[in-house]
Amino acid sequence: MSQPWPVALVQFQVSPEPQVNRQQVRHWLEQAMTQAGTPRTPKLLMLPEVWNSPYQAERFAEFAEPIPELGADLRDGPSESLKLVADFAVSHRVSVIAGSIPECSSDRRIFNTATVISPAGCLLAKHRKMHLFDVDIPGGIHFHESDSLTAGDQITVLSGVGDPLNSGAATPPNLGLQICYDIRFPELALLMQQQLSCDVIACPAGFSTTTGPLHWHLVMRARAVDTQCFVLACCSARPPQDSSDYPSYGHSLVVDPWGHILAEAGIGEEVVHAELDLDQITAARAAIPTSRQRRGDVYRLEPSA
């Protein structure tokens, strides 16, 4: 029987000021590690989508930072935002899913990019958002990420071999990364689980007060049930009602492989703590063995060449 893996999701309100956001991140990461009343100190922390910048397509380039290649020591890297998180990871010996930030590539394209940082401050994984949020909901929200962002084209699953996240589990989990709108495409999650053996899906997100009430809980629980994975969904906190800032939904949550919500935030700034019983992945897959019962003779899901 595995020891539960303690995790914490940091839900805070994003500011238009980069320095304020960095101060906020440092404060809330500290809160996550020292908060009274939690059973155990977290071994994995998580931040929301686009936490260093206003969620405005026309401003992503202004806040974009270079992100180095895998294995780089982010404490010496070109990204001020990730340097801050890497310094924190090293000082507390904790792994961090560093949400996402706008990334400026060497050819000047802008991506919405999520990263995973090791307790040694190194870049373990990097995922560029594959599905850009281009929607027009009458009476709701109009948003076109493709006005400024380029879509990624790589499926991202960090292997648990060698326990890079320092989970301490007998069989360390394989961690998949998605970003917000990616979670709406079940094919992606199924490929991550079926072909890359994903066990935990981390989804930094920025669902709005239009899409959140409709689909936030439904989609996160559905992907957990589809893949029989844990789903960690971290959203930013909701701004005041009279604010012109992007209307984030909040409600960061942790879902188990059976579709149960283990922990959930409200709409304000807070830290969500949960303990992942990784044995539940095996239990769910043994009890309802969908992976063995798919009809490969009738249909098949394959990545593009």
Side-chain angles (χ1 to χ4, degrees), residues 73-153:
D73 186 338
L74 294 172
R75 294 172 297 172
D76 300 322
S79 167
E80 284 297 315
S81 297
L82 297 183
K83 179 183 185 302
L84 180 157
V85 180
D87 285 341
F88 183 91
V90 171
S91 65
H92 290 78
R93 298 297 301 167
V94 66
S95 302
V96 185
I97 300 165
S100 77
I101 64 172
E103 175 197 5
C104 179
S105 68
S106 58
D107 59 4
R108 299 183 178 238
R109 290 181 296 168
I110 309 299
F111 296 90
N112 183 347
T113 303
T115 56
V116 181
I117 301 174
S118 77
C122 294
L123 182 61
L124 293 174
K126 173 177 172 176
H127 175 70
R128 289 169 167 170
K129 190 173 187 176
M130 297 176 69
H131 303 89
L132 299 183
F133 187 56
D134 288 3
V135 300
D136 296 280
I137 301 176
I141 189 170
H142 167 89
F143 204 94
H144 279 234
E145 282 188 320
S146 63
D147 288 348
S148 61
L149 296 178
T150 299
D153 58 9

Side-chain angles (χ1 to χ4, degrees), residues 185-195 226-227 294 301:
F185 298 85
E187 302 92 338
L188 174 58
L190 288 168
L191 278 170
M192 291 167 74
Q193 192 272 314
Q194 290 178 31
Q195 301 197 10
D226 288 345
T227 60
R294 290 192 170 90
L301 188 63

Side-chain angles (χ1 to χ4, degrees), residues 44-62:
L44 177 70
L45 304 178
M46 185 174 176
L47 296 172
E49 180 185 21
V50 188
W51 60 262
N52 72 327
S53 159
Y55 196 64
Q56 299 170 6
E58 67 275 11
R59 299 193 69 186
F60 288 152
E62 176 187 345

Side-chain angles (χ1 to χ4, degrees), residues 260-278:
H260 300 130
I261 296 175
L262 300 182
E264 180 179 353
I267 64 173
E269 295 185 310
E270 65 176 286
V271 177
V272 178
H273 289 268
E275 297 209 349
L276 310 189
D277 178 0
L278 298 174

Side-chain angles (χ1 to χ4, degrees), residues 137-182:
I137 301 176
I141 189 170
H142 167 89
F143 204 94
H144 279 234
E145 282 188 320
S146 63
D147 288 348
S148 61
L149 296 178
T150 299
D153 58 9
Q154 297 294 316
I155 300 173
T156 309
V157 177
L158 173 66
S159 170
V161 173
D163 201 12
L165 296 172
N166 196 29
S167 69
T171 305
N174 300 320
L175 175 71
L177 287 179
Q178 299 190 14
I179 302 174
C180 200
Y181 200 49
D182 286 341

